[in-house]
Amino acid sequence: MHDDRALVEARLTRVLNERIRPALYPESVPLEVSAWVAPGTVPVAEGLAAARTPVAVGDAWGAPWATTWFTVRGRVPREWAGRTVEAVLDLGFDERMPGFQCEALVHMPDGTPVKALNPRNQWVRVGAPVRGGERVEWHLEAASNPVILDVPPFRPTRLGDPETAGSEPLYRLARLDLAVFDTAVWELIQDLEVLGELMPELAVDSPRRWEVLRAVGRALDLVDLQDVNGSAERARSALREVLATPAAASAHRISAVGHAHIDSAWLWPLRETVRKVARTTANMTALLEDEPEFVFAMSQAQQYAWIKEHRPEVYAKVKKAVAEGRFVPAGGMWVESDTNMPGSEAMARQFVHGKRFFLEEFGVENEEAWLPDTFGFAAGLPQIIKAAGSKWLLSQKISWSQINDFPHHTFRWEGIDGTRIFTHFPPVDTYNCQMAGGEIAHAARNFKDKGAARHSLAPTGWGDGGGGTTREMIAKARRLRSLDGSAVVEWEKPAAFFAKAEAEYPQAPVWVGELYLELHRGTLTSQARTKRGNRRSEQLLREAELWSATAAVATSHPYPYAELDRLWKTVLLHQFHDILPGSSIAWVHREAERTYAAVAAELEDIIAAALAALAGEGDACLTVNSAPHARAGVAAGAIGSAAAEGPEVRAGARPDGGFVLDNGLLRIEIDDRGLVVSVHDRAADRETLAPGSAANLLQIHPDFPNMWDAWDVDSFYRNVVTDLTEADEVTLREVAAEAATVRVARSFGDSRVVQDLTLRRGRRRLDIATEVDWHETEKFLKAAFPLDLHAERYAAETQFGHLYRPTHTNTSWEAAKFEACAHRFVHAEEPGWGVALVNDCLYGHDVTRTVRDGDAPGTTTTVRLSLLRAPRFPDPETDQGLHRFRYALAPGATLADAVREGHRINLPERRIAGSGPVPPLITVDNDATVATAVKLADDASGDVIVRLHEAHGGRARTTLSTAFTLADALTTDLLERPADNGPAVEWQENTVRLALRPFQIVTLRLVRADRR
């Protein structure tokens, strides 16, 4: 037989597109349409009541970010009685862009939500069948969101902010009709699509491919091109046998989970996400009613909270579907956050607030973390997941890595403390699966654990901007439930999938350490003000909880439970994986800056009130130490009188120009260019900097990645570098016993930087306060510190500990990590001597090593902090303007010093007036054991919660002392529930003793005797 595959397949494409799909709605009548342009987002009642103006198909509508309320009215023709009728409402959609353009929520005249409209969901069912003669009326709350990620993508656009987006209409009404829906034609479309997509995935020499081809050919022969509607059932009959042939017993198994990954902000603001969630959940609850086998999962407790607050009628349907077990709250986090940059407590609170919401609202205990789109995973995360009472993780983002192909799809992921979490990366390689034949075949072929396992998961539905699963996807999945040549598809809850997958693969391979995404490295630096706001908020929340708890116990000062709960949720929301990483439109980051300022102001008020209650009235000068380590004679978590440390600071001129600063611990030389050319550690009698090099060297690179501008830094950026060595000013600004400061000012391009280099009494670190007025575009600014160190690895702080990364590039895996994340410190050392670089709001950095020849042989380990970027998409004004950040070089630092100095720079001492010292609420006797949270229990019992972890990577025996008498002390999980797997706790009166493993997290509930 001749090979006519191409002929039949081309015929199928044309007949489907030009004859069968157009026959879906064989008869239609226009609807009457009127509109009102709202002044922003308005309550539903106001939108329903507003006066309308008549409009027609073809009219332009929708300025960027505007809301238009359309009313459509009509009557079903009587001659359509007994038929299925739908409204076809095309607002001018581009079917390629679901979730990225205009959308609408359809309401009944009484305001009841019906369903949403989007490019892949343009229908509203009237009846099946109709009586004929029915009057219909709907009100459409239509959002004219602009397409930011257009074709071609990554072009700078002003549409990302209403202040610059203009007012020209973006869309034209395309079709607003009542129409007869031909069910037979619709089913024929699904049959032919499934088989047409299956064919090219089968081997050419496979008999099954030819069976499908011949069946499709026969069906097309039976389609009357002049009467598709009359011949659709006849054509379907030719396909029944080939569609009924069951899958092979060895076929890969796919658990389909209805899904709509909704970015809590990205190319739209938070305001619009509230409506996106309402639209998507309205569609999904309606679909659940129509499709009994369908299961839908949605993560992010914040999004449920939004519906509850703003659209209670939609939320009622969600709660009903959750109770029925078909709408599944997934993930147990407040939002699908970034996991690289949130601090230890913030990462813990993502699970605390997320899981608690699902428990309180639905009685659901999540056992999986659900993070399909997060940009890599910090090495401390497995322990946090387990400490929250969960045991599984799902993501697919690692499949985006540019260089190395991750070796597993199902595996156990081991974190820094040894905790292992059963993890799955769906081999379908998307969180927007459409049930297309190519996707299903790719999942089966791509699955790397074949032979040992056979189950994978497919998150199915339109995402990013929402939309969710469609009836077409469900129809395809029904045909793929058992179809020869395809993987087997079954709708299942995430928990059911994980239980099966874990049971069948008890010896799953283990991956140790961070799950580094070889992409989107620029998100560690983009939108610096957002990152500074996050870090500052985290530290202020720590202080607010610490001092409020201390004041509540010591003075009965009222503890601000509700305020802290609300503020934590605000900060957690802004850790969403397109807000904190700096990859959202200008509107999002402009709002975030205002929000962080308001959060800081409120937290400062809370802190001030608690400190005032503690310190009392008086004029004694007191130092407030919020850090987890004692300093200057003031205990951790105490208020007292600071003592002078070490000899006075001296400063003078350097013979070759510049200045010398000396505090008896360090001798710093700053040359006439304002560069640090010597940092001598007096105790070790050792120079910190590589011979002939300069530290705090600002370097600027061109930064124009191949795509994903705000997200990516491509390795070729390092090919061109400009050292900023010209100084406008190098002056000795301050000389006193306690500190000496050299100010350095530089101009470059259209920007200016002013730095204060300060050496303080008793401190083994050089503080560098930097202010940059940044007006560059597509540039990358770094600060370099070339160290005279032979280090093959370095430590970078992550949640509840640190991880080591190599400084070499032996393999492609190491070479790919040319930009990485650290929290408060990076630390490099040789045996017996090391250097820490600490910061107060930076995350991105790189570490490289070179070998010196000549007169000063040795190894140079260069640590560079990433300060600023200037991408132009999606925000063309990214980071323009003024920035402030602090970092410090600490020579001779051990890892313990790095931990201590990292906290110190982020939690500077406060000065207050009061009556006298205040002892700490709790005291920890081992510096290796760090308290990340001291607070009152969330249940308002008055119990004190202390979260500790071992921070140095070793074992630690710790005695914790309390300022109150204990009635009990027990370990809990992160949600403050009794834990079965916590360490043994010995307690008496006001002491608690426990032993911690390396990096172990322990949460203690301390029951006060005075509350019994």
Side-chain angles (χ1 to χ4, degrees):
M1 183 180 290
H2 296 297
D3 185 348
D4 59 349
R5 286 176 296 119
L7 190 67
V8 176
E9 290 166 4
R11 180 190 181 194
L12 171 61
T13 299
R14 187 175 186 194
V15 172
L16 255 178
N17 290 337
E18 296 185 23
R19 291 292 187 272
I20 301 177
R21 287 195 179 97
L24 179 60
Y25 294 109
E27 300 175 55
S28 62
V29 294
L31 288 161
E32 174 190 322
V33 190
S34 56
W36 172 65
V37 179
T41 56
V42 300
V44 172
E46 184 178 344
L48 295 175
R52 305 290 201 262
T53 301
V55 294
V57 168
D59 286 354
W61 73 279
W65 305 113
T67 297
T68 302
W69 282 82
F70 292 104
T71 296
V72 294
R73 296 187 178 95
R75 183 188 293 273
V76 177
R78 295 191 182 280
E79 57 270 26
W80 290 359
R83 304 173 77 178
T84 298
V85 175
E86 293 183 344
V88 183
L89 305 172
D90 184 347
L91 303 181
F93 297 123
D94 179 346
E95 289 195 357
R96 301 170 300 171
M97 304 295 287
F100 291 90
Q101 53 168 288
C102 61
E103 305 170 70
L105 183 59
V106 181
H107 303 79
M108 298 295 288
D110 65 358
T112 303
V114 180
K115 68 183 296 287
L117 301 175
N118 62 53
R120 296 300 180 103
N121 218 316
Q122 302 180 21
W123 55 274
V124 177
R125 180 64 57 90
V126 176
V130 295
R131 299 187 311 274
E134 296 98 324
R135 287 193 173 276
V136 296
E137 178 179 331
W138 296 283
H139 301 272
L140 284 51
E141 181 188 10
S144 48
N145 302 329
V147 177
I148 305 293
L149 192 64
D150 209 341
V151 181
F154 315 122
R155 299 293 178 92
T157 174
R158 299 285 176 178
L159 290 171
D161 193 324
E163 294 182 0
T164 60
S167 59
E168 288 298 312
L170 299 174
Y171 301 101
R172 287 188 180 276
L173 297 176
R175 183 179 183 183
L176 298 156
D177 291 343
L178 282 179
V180 172
F181 176 85
D182 191 322
T183 303
V185 170
W186 188 84
E187 296 286 0
L188 177 60
I189 293 169
Q190 314 316 313
D191 291 345
L192 290 172
E193 283 194 354
V194 166
L195 294 172
E197 291 166 358
L198 175 65
M199 278 192 292
E201 306 303 330
L202 300 171
V204 174
D205 58 359
S206 161
R208 175 63 170 166
R209 178 159 183 170
W210 293 92
E211 289 172 5
V212 173
L213 184 80
R214 295 299 163 227
V216 168
R218 289 192 296 272
L220 294 176
D221 289 342
L222 294 172
V223 174
D224 182 343
L225 298 182
Q226 278 66 52
D227 184 14
V228 172
N229 303 91
S231 58
E233 279 296 351
R234 186 168 66 246
R236 289 195 71 206
S237 67
L239 301 173
R240 287 195 177 97
E241 182 177 348
V242 76
L243 282 167
T245 306
S250 60
H252 183 68
R253 271 38 185 177
I254 293 178
S255 297
V257 178
H259 187 238
H261 171 67
I262 304 178
D263 287 305
S264 289
W266 180 28
L267 305 181
W268 44 85
L270 292 169
R271 179 210 79 180
E272 195 55 37
T273 312
V274 174
R275 301 199 296 178
K276 283 179 174 287
V277 174
R279 290 190 285 259
T280 296
T281 52
N283 267 8
M284 295 303 98
T285 52
L287 201 56
L288 286 166
E289 292 176 1
D290 294 339
E291 304 288 351
E293 74 271 32
F294 178 48
V295 175
F296 182 77
M298 189 173 89
S299 69
Q300 306 191 72
Q302 171 68 85
Q303 296 189 357
Y304 289 83
W306 277 333
I307 321 170
K308 181 180 179 181
E309 178 184 358
H310 297 282
R311 299 310 302 256
E313 65 277 42
V314 177
Y315 190 65
K317 293 182 178 181
V318 170
K319 288 202 76 169
K320 178 177 180 290
V322 172
E324 293 168 352
R326 304 195 41 225
F327 194 117
V328 182
M333 295 175 68
W334 190 247
V335 294
E336 290 182 12
S337 72
D338 179 78
T339 74
N340 287 312
M341 291 176 281
S344 301
E345 266 309 299
M347 201 73 255
R349 304 298 176 96
Q350 286 286 352
F351 288 91
V352 169
H353 287 285
K355 292 197 74 168
R356 186 173 289 147
F357 183 93
F358 289 156
L359 280 164
E360 292 176 352
E361 289 292 317
F362 309 120
V364 170
E365 171 84 26
N366 295 90
E367 292 190 295
E368 76 289 331
W370 185 274
L371 292 165
D373 193 30
T374 295
F375 308 155
F377 300 92
L381 191 57
Q383 184 181 192
I384 298 171
I385 294 172
K386 188 171 183 179
S390 297
K391 59 184 180 180
W392 300 315
L393 169 67
L394 177 134
S395 181
Q396 67 84 48
K397 197 67 172 188
I398 300 299
S399 69
W400 287 39
S401 284
Q402 290 175 311
I403 299 167
N404 295 286
D405 194 15
F406 195 78
H408 316 296
H409 282 107
T410 302
F411 60 101
R412 296 190 186 276
W413 177 30
E414 181 178 317
I416 56 175
D417 75 314
T419 297
R420 292 181 176 180
I421 294 293
F422 189 80
T423 302
H424 180 67
F425 293 169
V428 71
D429 283 347
T430 180
Y431 49 79
N432 294 326
C433 178
Q434 302 168 49
M435 281 293 128
E439 294 173 326
I440 301 305
H442 174 75
R445 283 195 304 265
N446 187 39
F447 187 55
K448 292 184 172 65
D449 301 279
K450 289 187 280 285
R454 62 188 305 195
H455 284 84
S456 71
L457 185 146
T460 302
W462 294 107
D464 292 315
T469 316
T470 65
R471 61 185 178 183
E472 289 79 13
M473 295 174 193
I474 294 174
K476 287 187 173 184
R478 188 177 300 123
R479 289 159 173 79
L480 296 171
R481 188 175 180 89
S482 183
L483 181 63
D484 188 16
S486 172
V488 170
V489 175
E490 181 179 6
W491 294 105
E492 286 194 298
K493 300 177 185 178
F497 159 75
F498 272 110
K500 286 180 181 177
E502 191 169 22
E504 77 172 358
Y505 207 8
Q507 301 303 317
V510 176
W511 181 270
V512 178
E514 67 182 326
L515 291 166
Y516 179 92
L517 177 63
E518 296 170 359
L519 196 73
H520 294 359
R521 304 168 183 89
T523 59
L524 302 174
T525 306
S526 296
Q527 298 287 2
R529 279 182 283 270
T530 299
K531 291 171 172 58
R532 179 175 179 80
N534 174 73
R535 182 78 68 86
R536 186 184 181 206
S537 297
E538 290 180 350
Q539 306 306 335
L540 289 172
L541 281 161
R542 172 196 169 85
E543 292 188 83
E545 289 183 336
L546 169 64
W547 299 121
S548 295
T550 305
V553 174
T555 73
S556 298
H557 179 73
Y559 190 82
Y561 291 101
E563 293 87 345
L564 289 171
D565 180 79
R566 172 174 47 79
L567 291 166
W568 262 117
K569 288 172 178 174
T570 298
V571 174
L572 298 178
L573 166 59
H574 286 79
Q575 291 178 340
F576 179 75
H577 66 251
D578 275 307
I579 303 179
L580 180 54
S583 48
S584 288
I585 56 174
W587 190 352
V588 172
H589 293 288
R590 177 166 50 80
E591 282 191 339
E593 188 173 359
R594 289 200 299 264
T595 298
Y596 283 130
V599 166
E602 189 169 354
L603 287 170
E604 289 286 6
D605 287 344
I606 292 172
I607 294 165
L611 292 176
L614 286 165
E617 295 184 3
D619 55 8
C621 183
L622 301 172
T623 296
V624 178
N625 179 14
S626 305
H629 306 96
R631 53 191 177 193
V634 180
I639 303 172
S641 300
E645 300 176 290
E648 296 181 355
V649 180
R650 294 169 296 165
R654 182 171 174 269
D656 295 333
F659 302 95
V660 177
L661 311 179
D662 198 323
N663 68 354
L665 301 173
L666 300 176
R667 183 179 185 276
I668 311 291
E669 293 188 34
I670 300 167
D671 69 9
D672 57 1
R673 301 171 299 169
L675 300 177
V676 179
V677 291
S678 176
V679 179
H680 188 77
D681 178 357
R682 287 188 174 277
D685 190 22
R686 174 163 177 166
E687 174 58 46
T688 303
L689 306 183
S693 66
N696 193 38
L697 173 63
L698 299 179
Q699 297 180 304
I700 197 162
H701 299 268
D703 182 16
F704 188 61
N706 288 345
M707 59 178 65
W708 299 109
D709 298 45
W711 295 257
D712 283 358
V713 169
D714 286 332
S715 59
F716 53 72
Y717 88 89
R718 297 175 295 183
N719 296 348
V720 179
V721 60
T722 301
D723 294 341
L724 303 180
T725 58
E726 298 296 322
D728 302 334
E729 174 190 354
V730 182
T731 56
L732 191 60
R733 300 281 296 185
E734 177 186 340
V735 181
E738 297 302 314
T741 298
V742 173
R743 174 161 292 181
V744 179
R746 306 184 192 280
S747 300
F748 55 96
D750 294 319
S751 304
R752 177 175 168 82
V753 58
V754 177
Q755 295 186 297
D756 285 344
L757 285 66
T758 301
L759 186 63
R760 303 182 193 281
R761 187 176 187 175
R763 298 194 189 178
R764 292 168 58 92
R765 77 180 202 200
L766 175 65
D767 288 308
I768 302 167
T770 300
E771 180 179 281
V772 185
D773 190 11
W774 180 248
H775 296 284
E776 307 307 300
T777 58
E778 295 166 353
K779 296 289 192 297
F780 196 4
L781 181 66
K782 284 183 169 269
F785 293 81
L787 309 175
D788 190 11
L789 271 178
H790 180 77
E792 293 186 359
R793 66 177 191 172
Y794 72 97
E797 189 187 33
T798 188
Q799 292 100 5
F800 297 106
H802 58 266
L803 73 156
Y804 288 101
R805 296 190 184 101
T807 60
H808 59 75
T809 55
N810 280 0
T811 71
S812 59
W813 293 89
E814 290 136 2
K817 296 181 181 181
F818 58 81
E819 183 79 6
C821 183
H823 288 189
R824 287 168 290 216
F825 72 80
V826 294
H827 178 263
E829 67 177 344
E830 297 173 354
W833 194 83
V835 178
L837 202 60
V838 298
N839 74 86
D840 75 342
C841 65
L842 304 172
Y843 296 94
H845 68 279
D846 68 84
V847 180
T848 56
R849 64 196 298 267
T850 56
V851 174
R852 306 186 302 270
D853 294 321
D855 297 335
T859 302
T860 299
T861 299
T862 301
V863 180
R864 298 199 306 164
L865 299 178
S866 302
L867 305 183
L868 290 167
R869 297 186 66 219
R872 300 186 64 210
F873 181 86
D875 175 7
E877 300 294 326
T878 300
D879 278 332
Q880 300 300 295
L882 198 64
H883 301 271
R884 294 184 179 90
F885 30 78
R886 294 184 303 148
Y887 47 88
L889 179 70
T894 62
L895 257 172
D897 296 326
V899 172
R900 185 183 304 106
E901 295 300 331
H903 282 287
R904 188 166 193 164
I905 198 171
N906 282 272
L907 291 162
E909 300 94 334
R910 293 174 181 267
R911 301 282 190 267
I912 61 172
S915 60
V918 178
L921 185 61
I922 62 104
T923 303
V924 178
D925 73 343
N926 187 338
D927 271 4
T929 304
V930 172
T932 61
V934 179
K935 59 190 284 292
L936 293 194
D938 291 342
D939 61 8
S941 62
D943 295 349
V944 174
I945 300 294
V946 181
R947 188 137 40 242
L948 308 162
H949 76 283
E950 195 290 316
H952 298 172
R955 295 186 180 260
R957 292 192 177 276
T958 298
T959 299
L960 180 147
S961 303
T962 64
F964 52 90
T965 303
L966 291 167
D968 198 0
L970 61 155
T971 59
T972 73
D973 66 7
L974 295 182
L975 276 69
E976 303 171 11
R977 304 174 297 190
D980 297 328
N981 57 352
V985 174
E986 301 174 10
W987 68 272
Q988 61 182 13
E989 293 188 356
N990 70 333
T991 60
V992 179
R993 292 182 178 87
L994 65 161
L996 280 72
R997 302 187 308 274
F999 300 129
Q1000 184 179 9
I1001 305 169
V1002 177
T1003 304
L1004 294 174
R1005 179 185 280 267
L1006 307 177
V1007 181
R1008 296 155 51 197
D1010 64 343
R1011 301 285 292 188
R1012 281 290 178 93

